[in-house]
């Protein structure tokens, strides 16, 4: 994760709203809060973290409510699911309906989306009849920082 990157959260929320409206979807209050939380974190977030963060005192929020909001965001290209971490991350590319290529660090559980990379280019040419059922490619490993911190000889 690039420490110098300062995402313009208000701008991204406004853009998300416009994108959803253009596609006939509505960025409801809850969906907006979920997306805002993903933007603020910048890193992959687990569903139960969202459930905790968005909890209204005295009110229980059903996990399905969170999952439905996440599905909406994913469907509108605003967020991606990272299977490896069982977590969700805001899309940092602005590619409509793209299949992201994500670098996932298994040590610090951060992820970086490769800009302008789209896995959907693989479907016909490279898969040779294989019916892919994934909407992303996750490259697992150690991020630059974790790799630098790791002592030689330890996994
Ligand atoms: Zn993306
Ligand atoms: Zn790392």
């Amino acid at each position: 994760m690039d420490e110098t990157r300062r995402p313009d959260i208000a701008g991204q929320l406004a853009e998300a709203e416009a994108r959803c409206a253009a596609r006939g979807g509505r960025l409801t209050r809850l969906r907006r809060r979920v997306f805002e939380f993903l933007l603020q974190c910048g890193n992959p977030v687990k569903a139960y973290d969202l459930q905790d963060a968005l909890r209204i005192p005295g009110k229980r929020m059903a996990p399905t409510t969170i999952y439905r909001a996440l599905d909406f965001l994913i469907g509108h290209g605003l967020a991606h699911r990272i299977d490896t971490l069982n977590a969700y991350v805001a899309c940092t590319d602005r590619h409509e309906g793209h299949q992201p290529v994500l670098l996932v660090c298994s040590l610090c559980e951060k992820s970086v989306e490769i800009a302008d990379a789209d896995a959907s280019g693989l479907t016909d040419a490279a898969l040779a009849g294989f019916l892919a059922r994934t909407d992303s490619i996750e490259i697992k490993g150690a991020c630059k920082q974790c790799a630098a911190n790791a002592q030689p000889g330890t996994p």
Side-chain angles (χ1 to χ4, degrees):
M1 192 56 49
D2 185 354
E3 303 294 339
T4 59
R5 201 162 52 92
R6 288 263 176 274
D8 168 21
I9 289 179
Q12 290 192 64
L13 281 169
E15 199 190 291
E17 209 140 37
R19 176 191 288 209
C20 292
R23 294 172 49 131
R26 204 162 74 81
L27 197 64
T28 60
R29 210 171 107 82
L30 177 74
R31 290 165 178 170
R32 192 186 162 90
R33 286 177 70 204
V34 169
F35 184 52
E36 188 175 19
F37 188 75
L38 293 181
L39 288 173
Q40 283 167 348
C41 288
N43 293 317
V45 175
K46 314 251 181 193
Y48 57 74
D49 290 330
L50 274 162
Q51 211 181 332
D52 272 358
L54 304 183
R55 190 189 301 274
I56 299 160
K59 252 185 141 184
R60 212 182 89 81
M61 189 180 280
T64 48
T65 311
I66 297 287
Y67 286 118
R68 264 192 239 118
L70 286 166
D71 280 348
F72 174 88
L73 296 175
I74 292 167
H76 283 73
L78 298 170
H80 300 304
R81 184 183 143 75
I82 301 176
D83 286 335
T84 306
L85 303 176
N86 191 18
Y88 301 84
V89 72
C91 176
T92 56
D93 216 10
R94 273 135 208 278
H95 212 147
E96 192 77 34
H98 69 307
Q99 294 183 296
V101 181
L102 299 154
L103 303 176
V104 181
C105 177
S106 47
L107 297 168
C108 65
E109 303 207 329
K110 289 181 181 175
S111 74
V112 175
E113 181 170 349
I114 300 181
D116 296 323
D118 193 341
S120 62
L122 287 175
T123 36
D124 295 331
L127 297 183
F130 182 84
L131 187 63
R133 290 193 58 195
T134 180
D135 14 310
S136 65
I137 289 182
E138 296 170 21
I139 301 173
K140 287 172 267 182
C143 70
K144 198 172 166 185
Q145 185 141 24
C146 287
N149 291 344
Q151 296 298 310
T154 54

